[in-house]
């Protein structure tokens, strides 16, 4: 009998050839951890930067040589000359915001490819988002109103418009009308009170989102600018990895608002963990998953927040940390560092090391605390919204420090209380801290450990 010999070499050829490095930057909290700043830093050494999910609900801030960039959609690598940036098929793309950000691509001479299979956020998706929030009244989610949930719903219903459909007006119209898609969207808007309970003018779209002709015209206005960037980002990323290049993946949001992990309604509609990359890009086995966490916690919109400081201490952190939404301008809710939530995010997102940001914001506090555990919740429990809703934090006090640390660049120059606070985080989470951010500027980093 002839035995089949299946060896690692001849069975795994396809994967074995992906020899480049795969680095992921993921938010380890509820968002706004400083992912943009970290992606910009790590992008220096990467060959390719990929935004693999999410849409213009994201707001990533980079502060470079006194100039502030607020990016919503395109990868944070676009400010680096010649850098290849990809917008993957798992994202939802707002045409107007995408075109606005093209100005940065042109100015910096970065290179951009938009996956022709990425889904388009239509103006009517924004109308549906607003209609749902208005209909929900007091139990609204507090979405960014960027149409993200409705656009992803259509993706999973297998009927979303893709960027590749924008190459021809007739194809776009045909796709919108296919199977009664457009009529269904309009009926949903009417049901939700768009045009009655929600004033269309308040959406500031500059067009009527319920008009098919205006929607087609709106799409085609931006299509002309975008079509030259269309391509197959999955193929490009695989080819680059095969060549041994380094690919950096940028998560749009924080792990805790991944669709799966809080498991309720206050999350956003995509998955930003490495699993989201595997699902959409077909890439596995990541070399490093860097979790970005603030030295405290914030959350925007509704949803449980066990360590929220709804008092003058929280207000002080909000003012000092400028905790106002990059996308919506809303005041972010602030609270002590929630270690059980961070530990959970690290576990479910496969995080291998941490970067702690905004340590400078904690300087000068009279009292400093972290939440060590929740009463009656085991360390390994799944932190669904239900669990978080009733979680009672157990706090631990830490020695505060008063020194301004924004100009510190060497860990030895940190006040010992600040250093101890970092050790506390490291030991409680059980992961190394690669670096610490002490200000918004690109340079404001302590012990930045980039791979070589
Ligand atoms: P992202 O969505 O995770 O990219 O984060 P955002 O850009 O929405 O929010 C982070 C905010 O904090 C931005 O305004 C950054 O410029 C700022 N920031 C980042 N790191 C630091 C830091 O270490 N200290 C201070 N004070 N601000 C920081
Ligand atoms: P960055 O990239 C913080 C939140 C919204 C809302 C929920 C659903 O800046 O970290 P959506 O519009 O996505 O349907 O809203 O998700 N949310 C964010 N919160 N930072 C973000 O992005 C967010 N993107 C979405 O506030 O609670
Ligand atoms: Mg943000």
């Amino acid at each position: 009998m002839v035995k089949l010999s299946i060896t690692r070499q001849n069975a795994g050829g396809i994967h074995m050839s992906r020899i480049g490095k795969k680095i992921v930057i993921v938010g380890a909290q509820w968002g706004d951890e400083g992912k943009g700043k970290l992606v910009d830093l790590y992008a220096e050494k990467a060959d390719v930067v990929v935004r693999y999910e999410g849409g213009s609900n994201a707001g990533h801030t980079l502060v470079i040589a006194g100039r502030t960039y607020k990016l919503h959609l395109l990868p944070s690598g676009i400010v680096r000359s010649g850098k290849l940036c990809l917008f993957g098929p798992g994202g939802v793309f707002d045409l107007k915001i995408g075109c606005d950000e093209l100005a940065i691509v042109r100015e910096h001479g970065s290179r951009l490819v938009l996956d022709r299979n990425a889904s388009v956020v239509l103006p009517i998706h924004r109308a549906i988002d607003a209609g749902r929030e208005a209909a929900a009244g007091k139990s609204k989610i507090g979405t960014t109103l960027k149409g993200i949930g409705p656009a992803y719903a259509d993706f999973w219903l297998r009927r979303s418009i893709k960027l590749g459909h924008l190459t021809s007006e007739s194809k776009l119209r045909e796709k919108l009308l296919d199977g009664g898609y457009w009529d269904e969207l309009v009926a949903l808007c009417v049901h939700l009170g768009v045009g009655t309970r929600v004033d269309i003018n308040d959406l500031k779209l500059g067009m009527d989102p319920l008009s098919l002709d205006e929607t087609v015209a709106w799409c085609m206005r931006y299509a002309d600018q975008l079509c030259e960037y269309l391509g197959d980002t999955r193929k490009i990323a695989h080819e680059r990895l095969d060549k041994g290049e380094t690919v950096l993946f940028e998560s749009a949001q924080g792990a805790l608002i991944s669709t799966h992990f809080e498991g309720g309604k206050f999350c956003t509609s995509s998955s930003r963990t490495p699993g989201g990359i595997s699902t959409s890009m077909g890439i596995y086995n990541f070399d490093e998953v860097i979790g970005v966490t603030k030295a405290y916690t914030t959350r925007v919109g509704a949803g449980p927040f066990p360590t929220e400081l709804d008092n003058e201490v929280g207000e002080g952190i909000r003012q000092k940390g400028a905790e106002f939404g990059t996308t919506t301008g809303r005041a972010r809710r602030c609270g002590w560092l929630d270690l059980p939530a961070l530990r959970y995010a690290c576990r479910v997102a496969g995080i291998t090391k941490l970067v702690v940001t905004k340590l400078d914001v904690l300087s000068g506090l009279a009292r400093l605390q972290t939440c060590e555990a929740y009463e009656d919740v085991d360390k390994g429990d799944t932190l669904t919204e239900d669990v978080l809703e009733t979680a009672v934090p157990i706090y631990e006090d830490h020695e505060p420090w008063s020194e301004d640390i924004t100009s510190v660049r060497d860990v030895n120059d940190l006040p010992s209380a600040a250093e101890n606070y970092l050790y506390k985080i490291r030991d409680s989470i059980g992961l190394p801290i690669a670096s610490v951010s002490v200000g918004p500027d690109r340079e404001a980093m302590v012990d930045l450990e980039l791979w070589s």
Side-chain angles (χ1 to χ4, degrees):
M1 194 169 66
V2 180
K3 279 195 181 164
L4 289 177
S5 139
I6 302 178
T7 65
R8 190 175 161 86
Q9 213 178 1
N10 62 22
I14 296 172
H15 291 296
M16 290 303 116
S17 61
R18 306 263 138 75
I19 53 171
K21 271 197 174 153
K22 292 158 275 185
I23 312 290
V24 188
I25 306 266
V26 61
Q29 297 174 299
W30 280 282
D32 306 315
E33 300 91 346
K35 299 175 288 294
K37 171 174 171 169
L38 266 297
V39 171
D40 167 52
L41 281 168
Y42 277 81
E44 186 184 7
K45 295 276 174 81
D47 300 291
V48 185
V49 185
V50 186
R51 252 296 289 273
Y52 56 93
E53 49 82 35
S56 65
N57 46 349
H60 295 181
T61 314
L62 321 182
V63 182
I64 303 166
R67 179 170 166 191
T68 300
Y69 301 82
K70 291 181 186 292
L71 300 176
H72 299 287
L73 200 54
L74 299 184
S76 297
I78 59 170
V79 296
R80 290 192 179 268
S81 168
K83 195 67 65 187
L84 178 59
C85 295
L86 310 178
F87 187 89
V92 292
F93 198 91
D94 184 300
L95 304 179
K96 180 181 182 309
I97 292 173
C99 281
D100 289 348
E101 292 184 2
L102 278 183
I104 300 173
V105 173
R106 294 190 189 107
E107 180 191 339
H108 292 272
S110 43
R111 290 173 295 150
L112 176 70
V113 180
L114 308 172
D115 200 287
R116 57 170 73 89
N117 275 309
S119 298
V120 174
V121 182
L122 298 167
I124 200 165
H125 288 133
R126 293 176 74 146
I128 293 168
D129 200 353
R132 285 218 174 96
E133 286 286 84
K138 276 197 194 138
S139 77
K140 72 177 184 176
I141 297 169
T143 74
T144 58
L145 298 177
K146 300 294 180 191
I148 305 302
Y152 269 111
D154 282 349
F155 168 76
W156 290 107
L157 283 169
R158 299 155 294 178
R159 60 190 196 174
S160 60
I161 301 299
K162 309 291 186 192
L163 285 175
H165 296 154
L166 302 178
T167 48
S168 134
E169 184 173 330
S170 59
K171 191 197 282 181
L172 172 63
R173 195 177 282 273
E174 180 196 314
K175 292 283 176 193
L176 282 168
L177 291 171
D178 187 33
Y181 177 35
W182 182 258
D183 289 345
E184 201 185 307
L185 290 178
V186 173
L188 181 55
C189 279
V190 172
H191 171 73
L192 291 170
V194 175
T196 50
R197 184 168 32 210
V198 174
D199 184 344
I200 285 176
N201 293 320
D202 289 348
L203 302 174
K204 297 195 170 56
L205 296 164
M207 48 82 74
D208 178 2
L210 274 61
S211 156
L212 176 65
D213 288 342
E214 287 192 39
T215 298
V216 171
W218 183 88
C219 289
M220 295 318 292
R221 186 157 72 238
Y222 298 111
D224 282 349
Q225 292 179 65
L226 293 170
C227 282
E228 66 173 289
Y229 296 97
L230 296 185
D232 183 343
T233 60
R234 196 178 290 142
K235 178 170 183 244
I236 295 169
H238 286 220
E239 282 173 353
R240 296 300 180 121
L241 286 169
D242 287 348
K243 279 204 260 171
E245 294 189 1
T246 296
V247 179
L248 181 67
F249 297 92
E250 172 180 12
S251 85
Q253 278 89 20
L256 291 174
I257 51 168
S258 280
T259 321
H260 297 290
F261 296 131
E262 223 183 48
K265 76 173 203 180
F266 296 109
C267 52
T268 185
S269 302
S270 61
S271 176
R272 61 219 27 91
T273 65
I277 303 168
S278 301
T279 308
S280 63
M281 302 291 293
I283 291 171
Y284 302 85
N285 303 327
F286 300 91
D287 294 86
E288 205 75 81
V289 183
I290 298 163
V292 188
T293 177
K294 284 180 197 180
Y296 50 94
T297 310
T298 62
R299 181 164 195 162
V300 197
F305 185 175
T307 63
E308 182 167 12
L309 289 163
D310 194 10
N311 55 23
E312 69 284 356
V313 181
E315 183 57 31
I317 292 176
R318 183 176 302 121
Q319 293 303 330
K320 186 149 186 220
E323 295 295 357
F324 298 91
T326 310
T327 300
T328 59
R330 288 179 290 177
R332 294 175 184 150
R333 301 156 66 195
C334 298
W336 295 128
L337 183 62
D338 186 332
L339 291 166
L342 178 58
R343 206 177 293 124
Y344 176 66
C346 289
R347 177 152 45 88
V348 295
I351 290 169
T352 55
K353 57 165 103 160
L354 289 171
V355 171
V356 176
T357 61
K358 304 194 98 161
L359 189 66
D360 54 300
V361 176
L362 297 183
S363 291
L365 287 176
R367 185 175 197 193
L368 178 59
Q369 293 192 309
T370 54
C371 165
E372 297 304 304
Y374 305 136
E375 281 177 21
D376 302 323
V377 177
D378 281 346
K379 260 193 175 179
D381 281 358
T382 293
L383 299 185
T384 58
E385 277 172 11
D386 288 348
V387 173
L388 291 170
E389 204 75 67
T390 53
V392 179
I394 301 168
Y395 289 108
E396 192 173 286
D397 278 285
H398 305 280
E399 188 192 343
W401 63 93
S402 55
E403 296 89 333
D404 177 355
I405 58 170
T406 47
S407 53
V408 172
R409 298 292 175 267
D410 185 325
V411 73
N412 297 312
D413 296 331
L414 281 175
S416 58
E419 213 182 328
N420 289 339
Y421 187 73
L422 294 172
Y423 289 145
K424 164 77 213 167
I425 298 171
R426 182 196 65 186
D427 295 343
S428 173
I429 303 299
L431 288 175
I433 296 177
S435 53
V436 179
S437 173
V438 291
D441 295 351
R442 190 188 255 178
E443 285 76 28
M445 295 299 292
V446 177
D447 251 357
L448 187 68
E449 175 216 90
L450 291 177
W451 68 89
S452 53

